[in-house]
Amino acid sequence: MTCHDFTHAILRTPGRSVVGGLHAGDGPAPDYDAVLREHAAYADALREAGLTLDILGALEAFPDSIFVEDPALVFGEGAILLNSGADTRRGEVAELAPVLGRHFGEVLRIGEGSADGGDVMVTPDRALIGLSARTDAVGAAALVEALGTLGRKAAIVEPPREALHLKTIATLIDEETILTTQAGAVSGLFAGFRVLTLDPGEEAAANALRINDTLLLSDGHPRIAERLDREGYRLKLLDTTHVARIDAGLSCMSLRWNAA
Ligand code: CIR
């Protein structure tokens, strides 16, 4: 089984409050109907890629709760509830806990520190845990231990500081290839991988998502799309204009696992 063989995913419908989601810059807020459209197209793409979806109801109290990747990590062998490093996102974990209880026999929880799922990249031999404003050293160490309980190896890494999450700047697009920004490519984090480097101006394509044979890529990045197409990847281009306004991309809108 590869890192990208998935059968199931959890998503959460955007609430109207999503327009007030966290974002670093001072650009325009997303439009609610546009986020709904982007989210629905994303769900369709996951179904087309072969996944069975559990789409949870909207949570108005948590504007960023559509980004279900951050409060938990899930694997065929069990799930881990995390602690968000963002005050407004801490309550999302309690909302997700009963859902994970329904899907997984084992649900672990990191007790201390903070960690976001967006900082965890699963690779064939280990999970890379990036330190960030959301994932601190204590949370990362607790996560290494929890992953060990599930029989998984992990290593803590330091991505370039400007990245929100490790996966904001990099994606494992097959078992040996990382798609990343120029900052990610020179960071040394991905030694041993084949690295595909994005051109300046196409950095937002770094948060891609490989599901089975399909590589989901943010639309509007023609140079990397053409290169990946030429290399034989089966691409599904998705509009992420409005979720990008709240610092999100493709991986963050689902929790994926293989239940086979
Ligand atoms: C946040 O700042 O938490 C959200 N506005 C965006 C989360 C993106 N999450 C991810 O890429 N895993």
Side-chain angles (χ1 to χ4, degrees), residues 22 64 67 69-70 89 118 134 164-165 246-247 252:
L22 294 172
D64 287 296
F67 306 124
E69 176 179 73
D70 292 322
R89 302 202 61 188
R134 301 289 179 84
L164 170 61
H165 288 124
I246 43 175
D247 299 347
C252 45

Short mmCIF file of all heavy atoms in Angstrom, two decimals, residues 22 64 67 69-70 89 118 134 164-165 246-247 252, ligand 1:
data_model
loop_
_atom_site.label_atom_id
_atom_site.label_comp_id
_atom_site.label_asym_id
_atom_site.label_seq_id
_atom_site.Cartn_x
_atom_site.Cartn_y
_atom_site.Cartn_z
N LEU A 22 -9.31 32.53 9.80
CA LEU A 22 -7.99 33.13 10.04
C LEU A 22 -7.23 33.33 8.73
O LEU A 22 -7.27 32.49 7.84
CB LEU A 22 -7.15 32.21 10.93
CG LEU A 22 -7.65 31.99 12.36
CD1 LEU A 22 -6.82 30.89 13.03
CD2 LEU A 22 -7.56 33.30 13.15
N ASP A 64 -13.00 28.24 11.00
CA ASP A 64 -12.01 27.45 10.23
C ASP A 64 -12.27 25.95 10.29
O ASP A 64 -11.40 25.17 9.89
CB ASP A 64 -10.60 27.76 10.75
CG ASP A 64 -10.13 29.14 10.32
OD1 ASP A 64 -9.99 29.36 9.11
OD2 ASP A 64 -9.94 30.01 11.19
N PHE A 67 -11.53 23.05 7.79
CA PHE A 67 -10.17 22.55 7.57
C PHE A 67 -9.90 21.41 8.55
O PHE A 67 -9.10 21.50 9.46
CB PHE A 67 -9.17 23.70 7.67
CG PHE A 67 -9.53 24.84 6.75
CD1 PHE A 67 -9.71 26.12 7.22
CD2 PHE A 67 -9.73 24.58 5.39
CE1 PHE A 67 -10.09 27.15 6.36
CE2 PHE A 67 -10.11 25.61 4.52
CZ PHE A 67 -10.28 26.89 5.01
N GLU A 69 -8.38 18.78 8.42
CA GLU A 69 -7.06 18.15 8.48
C GLU A 69 -6.29 18.58 9.73
O GLU A 69 -5.43 17.84 10.22
CB GLU A 69 -6.24 18.54 7.24
CG GLU A 69 -4.82 18.01 7.28
CD GLU A 69 -4.04 18.38 6.04
OE1 GLU A 69 -3.66 19.56 5.87
OE2 GLU A 69 -3.81 17.48 5.23
N ASP A 70 -6.58 19.78 10.26
CA ASP A 70 -5.73 20.31 11.33
C ASP A 70 -5.97 19.74 12.72
O ASP A 70 -5.00 19.53 13.46
CB ASP A 70 -5.81 21.84 11.34
CG ASP A 70 -5.17 22.42 10.10
OD1 ASP A 70 -4.14 21.87 9.67
OD2 ASP A 70 -5.70 23.40 9.55
N ARG A 89 -9.37 27.93 17.16
CA ARG A 89 -9.58 26.60 16.58
C ARG A 89 -9.54 25.48 17.62
O ARG A 89 -9.78 24.33 17.29
CB ARG A 89 -8.52 26.34 15.48
CG ARG A 89 -8.55 27.38 14.35
CD ARG A 89 -7.94 26.85 13.08
NE ARG A 89 -8.67 25.69 12.60
CZ ARG A 89 -8.28 24.93 11.59
NH1 ARG A 89 -7.17 25.23 10.94
NH2 ARG A 89 -8.98 23.88 11.21
N GLY A 118 -1.90 20.02 9.50
CA GLY A 118 -1.27 20.60 8.32
C GLY A 118 0.25 20.58 8.38
O GLY A 118 0.92 20.75 7.36
N ARG A 134 1.94 27.01 14.71
CA ARG A 134 0.84 26.16 15.18
C ARG A 134 1.31 24.88 15.86
O ARG A 134 0.55 24.25 16.58
CB ARG A 134 -0.05 25.77 13.99
CG ARG A 134 -0.65 26.95 13.25
CD ARG A 134 -1.71 27.63 14.08
NE ARG A 134 -2.27 28.78 13.39
CZ ARG A 134 -3.25 28.68 12.49
NH1 ARG A 134 -3.78 27.52 12.21
NH2 ARG A 134 -3.70 29.78 11.92
N LEU A 164 2.74 28.80 6.84
CA LEU A 164 1.74 28.54 7.89
C LEU A 164 1.94 27.13 8.42
O LEU A 164 2.10 26.92 9.62
CB LEU A 164 0.32 28.71 7.32
CG LEU A 164 -0.83 28.24 8.23
CD1 LEU A 164 -0.86 29.01 9.54
CD2 LEU A 164 -2.17 28.36 7.51
N HIS A 165 1.94 26.17 7.53
CA HIS A 165 2.13 24.77 7.89
C HIS A 165 3.19 24.16 6.96
O HIS A 165 3.42 24.67 5.86
CB HIS A 165 0.83 23.97 7.66
CG HIS A 165 -0.27 24.26 8.63
ND1 HIS A 165 -1.52 24.67 8.23
CD2 HIS A 165 -0.31 24.17 9.97
CE1 HIS A 165 -2.30 24.82 9.30
NE2 HIS A 165 -1.59 24.52 10.38
N ILE A 246 -8.26 32.56 2.95
CA ILE A 246 -8.08 32.27 4.38
C ILE A 246 -6.98 31.20 4.54
O ILE A 246 -7.07 30.30 5.37
CB ILE A 246 -9.40 31.88 5.08
CG1 ILE A 246 -10.23 30.92 4.23
CG2 ILE A 246 -10.21 33.12 5.42
CD1 ILE A 246 -11.48 30.42 4.93
N ASP A 247 -5.96 31.36 3.71
CA ASP A 247 -4.70 30.63 3.84
C ASP A 247 -4.84 29.12 3.71
O ASP A 247 -4.07 28.37 4.33
CB ASP A 247 -4.01 30.97 5.18
CG ASP A 247 -3.68 32.44 5.29
OD1 ASP A 247 -3.74 33.15 4.27
OD2 ASP A 247 -3.34 32.89 6.41
N CYS A 252 -6.07 20.57 3.31
CA CYS A 252 -6.67 20.90 4.61
C CYS A 252 -8.17 20.62 4.70
O CYS A 252 -8.72 20.55 5.78
CB CYS A 252 -6.39 22.35 4.97
SG CYS A 252 -6.63 23.45 3.61
C1 CIR B 1 -6.05 28.60 9.55
O1 CIR B 1 -5.34 29.60 9.58
O2 CIR B 1 -6.02 27.75 10.44
C2 CIR B 1 -7.00 28.41 8.40
N1 CIR B 1 -7.49 29.69 7.96
C3 CIR B 1 -6.32 27.70 7.26
C4 CIR B 1 -5.92 26.29 7.63
C5 CIR B 1 -5.22 25.59 6.54
N2 CIR B 1 -4.89 24.28 6.98
C6 CIR B 1 -4.09 23.45 6.34
O3 CIR B 1 -3.51 23.81 5.32
N3 CIR B 1 -3.89 22.25 6.86
#
